[in-house]
Amino acid sequence: NSGLEGGTTVALKGRVPVRVIGAVRKGQNLIAGPRGCATASVYHSNEVFAIALEANSDTSEKLVEALIL
């Protein structure tokens, strides 16, 4: 979808930037969160859709490289 104009970019699988709210550690599971963003999952969850490939201690919304499962 790199040439897409005026549409929504979608990733089905692979290494992509993901909007994350809250601090995240490398290797931490990501689950769906508020406002279309992901949040780091501390406990085992069946809702995991990605794994963070980098750490970021910023608690606001940011892009984090992740592996979509």
Side-chain angles (χ1 to χ4, degrees), residues 19-22 29-34 37-41 49:
R19 289 188 322 161
V20 177
I21 295 178
N29 293 335
L30 300 177
I31 59 173
C37 296
T39 59
S41 173
F49 73 91

Side-chain angles (χ1 to χ4, degrees), residues 1-11:
N1 294 340
S2 63
L4 187 65
E5 290 185 29
T8 303
T9 305
V10 176

Side-chain angles (χ1 to χ4, degrees), residues 3-4 7 9-10 12-13 17 27 30 38 40 46 55 59-60 64 69:
L4 187 65
T9 305
V10 176
L12 300 177
K13 194 170 187 178
L30 300 177
N46 293 333
T59 57
S60 62
V64 172
L69 304 173

Side-chain angles (χ1 to χ4, degrees), residues 15 20 22-28 30 40 51-59 62-66:
R15 185 180 181 148
V20 177
V24 63
R25 294 184 319 267
K26 182 177 180 178
Q28 200 165 22
L30 300 177
I51 298 171
L53 297 176
E54 61 182 327
N56 192 315
S57 60
D58 184 9
T59 57
K62 71 266 182 197
L63 285 175
V64 172
E65 191 79 15

